[in-house]
Amino acid sequence: MTQRDLHSEFLRADLFLAMAQPIEAARLLEPLVEAEPANEAALELLARSYFGSAQLARAEEALTRLVEMAPANGWARRALARTLERQSRAGEAVAHHRVADALGAA
């Protein structure tokens, strides 16, 4: 895939997510993230797509990668905490909520 194709697919996925079609967004984003594993924006959108479609194990995996890549990303920390909570793992979520709070994330 060329850079232009990757960008087009990212924009299409963002549109699908905005239209409340997270499964379709994830389908478009998975090959994009595979092609560009260091692309934080694509990984974040993929995590949002997984979370929005209740694919919580996949959301957790994507968010964990994102937190490893960008430890000061308050949004990712908060989203990871909420993903853990939705899996009845509130104890594991506490540390991520604390970091998100410290970073000023909503």
Side-chain angles (χ1 to χ4, degrees):
M1 251 188 224
T2 68
Q3 280 301 113
R4 184 175 207 159
D5 293 338
L6 292 171
H7 185 69
S8 285
E9 289 300 285
F10 178 86
L11 293 176
R12 285 184 61 214
D14 191 37
L15 181 60
F16 275 113
L17 192 56
M19 294 175 9
Q21 295 183 29
I23 292 172
E24 186 63 24
R27 186 185 68 74
L28 293 172
L29 289 161
E30 287 166 348
L32 196 156
V33 169
E34 186 175 315
E36 289 195 6
N39 185 325
E40 291 178 29
L43 185 57
E44 182 175 315
L45 198 60
L46 180 59
R48 288 178 50 209
S49 300
Y50 286 150
F51 187 86
S53 60
Q55 296 180 65
L56 300 177
R58 287 180 171 179
E60 179 185 353
E61 180 184 329
L63 289 164
T64 298
R65 280 182 52 202
L66 189 56
V67 164
E68 288 169 358
M69 291 167 61
N73 182 331
W75 178 89
R77 293 281 186 165
R78 183 75 71 205
L80 179 54
R82 290 183 178 148
T83 300
L84 293 167
E85 288 171 341
R86 285 185 66 186
Q87 296 177 83
S88 300
R89 294 163 54 198
E92 294 174 60
V94 171
H96 296 290
H97 274 305
R98 286 186 181 141
V99 174
D101 290 344
L103 294 168

